[in-house]
Amino acid sequence: MEYIARQPEPRRVTLDRELSVIEFQLAAQAQASQHVSALLGYLAEQGALLGILTRNMRGCVPLILERLAIAHYFDPDTIVAREDCRPKPDPDGVNTLLRRWQADPADAVMVGDFHYDLECGRRAGVATVHYNALGRNGWPALTDIEVSSFARLLAVLQAG
């Protein structure tokens, strides 16, 4: 995205269009990670405010959420896409959600699978959870908790 933003006008428009096509194709193929619905259900039962911060375009998010059967967990106002803020790792998106919720960073958690997510959370002053389903090298300096599955994260939360 940063590369595209630096391109001259005719090239940038073409690349944006190509990226949009790719994003919609991938959104149509999205598959839910195991136990994600159980985790979101538990968090909702506990009264947690749930949001999404994505570098994807806003138009893809509803399609993805419907495919994953988790759209009912997210209010449209709690979805922050690339059109809404500076991209991760900038903390702007997390700060946007915190303002909307009137929440303190100490009461928030950023869950992500890439170092941009974790760096974004760190820079916003929130706790970070690295979802590392592939077991690749992580980013311990940016991570408060690392889990290999949403079932494991759910177990950690239920254990208190």
Side-chain angles (χ1 to χ4, degrees), residues 11-27:
R11 177 83 173 130
R12 184 174 56 239
V13 170
T14 300
L15 291 173
D16 274 334
R17 192 174 307 121
E18 290 172 3
L19 180 59
S20 294
V21 169
I22 292 167
E23 283 188 30
F24 275 103
Q25 288 171 344
L26 292 173

mmCIF file of all heavy atoms in Angstrom, residues 11-27:
data_model
loop_
_atom_site.group_PDB
_atom_site.id
_atom_site.type_symbol
_atom_site.label_atom_id
_atom_site.label_comp_id
_atom_site.label_asym_id
_atom_site.label_seq_id
_atom_site.Cartn_x
_atom_site.Cartn_y
_atom_site.Cartn_z
ATOM 1 N N ARG A 11 -0.698 5.617 -12.631
ATOM 2 C CA ARG A 11 -0.229 4.310 -12.159
ATOM 3 C C ARG A 11 -0.888 3.933 -10.833
ATOM 4 O O ARG A 11 -1.274 2.786 -10.622
ATOM 5 C CB ARG A 11 1.302 4.337 -12.017
ATOM 6 C CG ARG A 11 1.891 3.075 -11.466
ATOM 7 C CD ARG A 11 2.073 2.031 -12.547
ATOM 8 N NE ARG A 11 2.788 0.895 -12.010
ATOM 9 C CZ ARG A 11 2.390 -0.357 -12.151
ATOM 10 N NH1 ARG A 11 1.326 -0.631 -12.870
ATOM 11 N NH2 ARG A 11 3.074 -1.335 -11.627
ATOM 12 N N ARG A 12 -1.036 4.902 -9.934
ATOM 13 C CA ARG A 12 -1.642 4.652 -8.630
ATOM 14 C C ARG A 12 -3.092 4.182 -8.780
ATOM 15 O O ARG A 12 -3.523 3.251 -8.116
ATOM 16 C CB ARG A 12 -1.578 5.899 -7.755
ATOM 17 C CG ARG A 12 -2.117 5.659 -6.349
ATOM 18 C CD ARG A 12 -1.925 6.836 -5.423
ATOM 19 N NE ARG A 12 -2.510 8.051 -5.948
ATOM 20 C CZ ARG A 12 -1.842 9.173 -6.188
ATOM 21 N NH1 ARG A 12 -0.564 9.265 -5.942
ATOM 22 N NH2 ARG A 12 -2.448 10.231 -6.667
ATOM 23 N N VAL A 13 -3.839 4.803 -9.677
ATOM 24 C CA VAL A 13 -5.238 4.423 -9.897
ATOM 25 C C VAL A 13 -5.315 2.981 -10.413
ATOM 26 O O VAL A 13 -6.130 2.186 -9.946
ATOM 27 C CB VAL A 13 -5.923 5.405 -10.878
ATOM 28 C CG1 VAL A 13 -7.288 4.897 -11.301
ATOM 29 C CG2 VAL A 13 -6.021 6.786 -10.248
ATOM 30 N N THR A 14 -4.458 2.645 -11.344
ATOM 31 C CA THR A 14 -4.430 1.281 -11.885
ATOM 32 C C THR A 14 -4.086 0.270 -10.802
ATOM 33 O O THR A 14 -4.744 -0.771 -10.675
ATOM 34 C CB THR A 14 -3.411 1.178 -13.044
ATOM 35 O OG1 THR A 14 -3.797 2.094 -14.073
ATOM 36 C CG2 THR A 14 -3.342 -0.225 -13.599
ATOM 37 N N LEU A 15 -3.068 0.556 -10.014
ATOM 38 C CA LEU A 15 -2.663 -0.370 -8.952
ATOM 39 C C LEU A 15 -3.738 -0.489 -7.876
ATOM 40 O O LEU A 15 -3.980 -1.592 -7.371
ATOM 41 C CB LEU A 15 -1.326 0.069 -8.339
ATOM 42 C CG LEU A 15 -0.110 -0.059 -9.246
ATOM 43 C CD1 LEU A 15 1.112 0.576 -8.590
ATOM 44 C CD2 LEU A 15 0.151 -1.511 -9.598
ATOM 45 N N ASP A 16 -4.391 0.608 -7.538
ATOM 46 C CA ASP A 16 -5.493 0.557 -6.568
ATOM 47 C C ASP A 16 -6.616 -0.350 -7.080
ATOM 48 O O ASP A 16 -7.177 -1.143 -6.322
ATOM 49 C CB ASP A 16 -6.058 1.951 -6.299
ATOM 50 C CG ASP A 16 -5.322 2.695 -5.218
ATOM 51 O OD1 ASP A 16 -4.725 2.048 -4.336
ATOM 52 O OD2 ASP A 16 -5.357 3.950 -5.240
ATOM 53 N N ARG A 17 -6.933 -0.223 -8.334
ATOM 54 C CA ARG A 17 -7.987 -1.040 -8.944
ATOM 55 C C ARG A 17 -7.596 -2.520 -8.913
ATOM 56 O O ARG A 17 -8.397 -3.376 -8.545
ATOM 57 C CB ARG A 17 -8.247 -0.581 -10.376
ATOM 58 C CG ARG A 17 -9.504 -1.160 -10.983
ATOM 59 C CD ARG A 17 -9.834 -0.581 -12.358
ATOM 60 N NE ARG A 17 -9.875 0.883 -12.350
ATOM 61 C CZ ARG A 17 -9.096 1.668 -13.102
ATOM 62 N NH1 ARG A 17 -8.223 1.146 -13.939
ATOM 63 N NH2 ARG A 17 -9.192 2.978 -13.042
ATOM 64 N N GLU A 18 -6.350 -2.805 -9.270
ATOM 65 C CA GLU A 18 -5.877 -4.199 -9.248
ATOM 66 C C GLU A 18 -5.888 -4.763 -7.831
ATOM 67 O O GLU A 18 -6.281 -5.924 -7.620
ATOM 68 C CB GLU A 18 -4.470 -4.285 -9.844
ATOM 69 C CG GLU A 18 -4.429 -4.037 -11.334
ATOM 70 C CD GLU A 18 -3.017 -3.927 -11.897
ATOM 71 O OE1 GLU A 18 -2.032 -4.094 -11.147
ATOM 72 O OE2 GLU A 18 -2.898 -3.652 -13.114
ATOM 73 N N LEU A 19 -5.484 -3.966 -6.860
ATOM 74 C CA LEU A 19 -5.503 -4.407 -5.468
ATOM 75 C C LEU A 19 -6.930 -4.680 -5.010
ATOM 76 O O LEU A 19 -7.188 -5.671 -4.312
ATOM 77 C CB LEU A 19 -4.833 -3.361 -4.569
ATOM 78 C CG LEU A 19 -4.786 -3.696 -3.080
ATOM 79 C CD1 LEU A 19 -4.036 -5.002 -2.832
ATOM 80 C CD2 LEU A 19 -4.134 -2.549 -2.313
ATOM 81 N N SER A 20 -7.862 -3.843 -5.406
ATOM 82 C CA SER A 20 -9.265 -4.049 -5.038
ATOM 83 C C SER A 20 -9.791 -5.382 -5.576
ATOM 84 O O SER A 20 -10.482 -6.116 -4.868
ATOM 85 C CB SER A 20 -10.138 -2.917 -5.576
ATOM 86 O OG SER A 20 -9.805 -1.710 -4.959
ATOM 87 N N VAL A 21 -9.461 -5.697 -6.798
ATOM 88 C CA VAL A 21 -9.897 -6.971 -7.391
ATOM 89 C C VAL A 21 -9.331 -8.140 -6.593
ATOM 90 O O VAL A 21 -10.044 -9.091 -6.245
ATOM 91 C CB VAL A 21 -9.480 -7.051 -8.880
ATOM 92 C CG1 VAL A 21 -9.675 -8.459 -9.439
ATOM 93 C CG2 VAL A 21 -10.256 -6.034 -9.707
ATOM 94 N N ILE A 22 -8.065 -8.062 -6.282
ATOM 95 C CA ILE A 22 -7.413 -9.133 -5.507
ATOM 96 C C ILE A 22 -8.058 -9.261 -4.128
ATOM 97 O O ILE A 22 -8.353 -10.365 -3.668
ATOM 98 C CB ILE A 22 -5.896 -8.882 -5.387
ATOM 99 C CG1 ILE A 22 -5.223 -9.029 -6.746
ATOM 100 C CG2 ILE A 22 -5.265 -9.820 -4.364
ATOM 101 C CD1 ILE A 22 -3.796 -8.510 -6.790
ATOM 102 N N GLU A 23 -8.294 -8.141 -3.464
ATOM 103 C CA GLU A 23 -8.885 -8.178 -2.126
ATOM 104 C C GLU A 23 -10.274 -8.809 -2.147
ATOM 105 O O GLU A 23 -10.610 -9.610 -1.268
ATOM 106 C CB GLU A 23 -8.943 -6.785 -1.517
ATOM 107 C CG GLU A 23 -7.604 -6.318 -1.010
ATOM 108 C CD GLU A 23 -7.680 -5.018 -0.235
ATOM 109 O OE1 GLU A 23 -8.722 -4.736 0.399
ATOM 110 O OE2 GLU A 23 -6.686 -4.279 -0.255
ATOM 111 N N PHE A 24 -11.096 -8.462 -3.145
ATOM 112 C CA PHE A 24 -12.433 -9.053 -3.218
ATOM 113 C C PHE A 24 -12.359 -10.545 -3.546
ATOM 114 O O PHE A 24 -13.141 -11.342 -3.023
ATOM 115 C CB PHE A 24 -13.319 -8.305 -4.209
ATOM 116 C CG PHE A 24 -13.996 -7.114 -3.598
ATOM 117 C CD1 PHE A 24 -13.524 -5.838 -3.845
ATOM 118 C CD2 PHE A 24 -15.080 -7.262 -2.742
ATOM 119 C CE1 PHE A 24 -14.134 -4.736 -3.271
ATOM 120 C CE2 PHE A 24 -15.697 -6.170 -2.169
ATOM 121 C CZ PHE A 24 -15.227 -4.899 -2.435
ATOM 122 N N GLN A 25 -11.416 -10.940 -4.382
ATOM 123 C CA GLN A 25 -11.246 -12.364 -4.666
ATOM 124 C C GLN A 25 -10.866 -13.130 -3.402
ATOM 125 O O GLN A 25 -11.410 -14.195 -3.114
ATOM 126 C CB GLN A 25 -10.176 -12.583 -5.742
ATOM 127 C CG GLN A 25 -10.603 -12.172 -7.126
ATOM 128 C CD GLN A 25 -9.446 -12.197 -8.124
ATOM 129 O OE1 GLN A 25 -8.280 -12.237 -7.760
ATOM 130 N NE2 GLN A 25 -9.794 -12.143 -9.406
ATOM 131 N N LEU A 26 -9.931 -12.592 -2.636
ATOM 132 C CA LEU A 26 -9.513 -13.248 -1.393
ATOM 133 C C LEU A 26 -10.627 -13.230 -0.354
ATOM 134 O O LEU A 26 -10.815 -14.214 0.381
ATOM 135 C CB LEU A 26 -8.252 -12.586 -0.841
ATOM 136 C CG LEU A 26 -6.987 -12.787 -1.687
ATOM 137 C CD1 LEU A 26 -5.837 -11.953 -1.131
ATOM 138 C CD2 LEU A 26 -6.605 -14.258 -1.747
ATOM 139 N N ALA A 27 -11.383 -12.149 -0.280
ATOM 140 C CA ALA A 27 -12.498 -12.068 0.665
ATOM 141 C C ALA A 27 -13.531 -13.149 0.375
ATOM 142 O O ALA A 27 -14.081 -13.763 1.296
ATOM 143 C CB ALA A 27 -13.141 -10.688 0.606
#
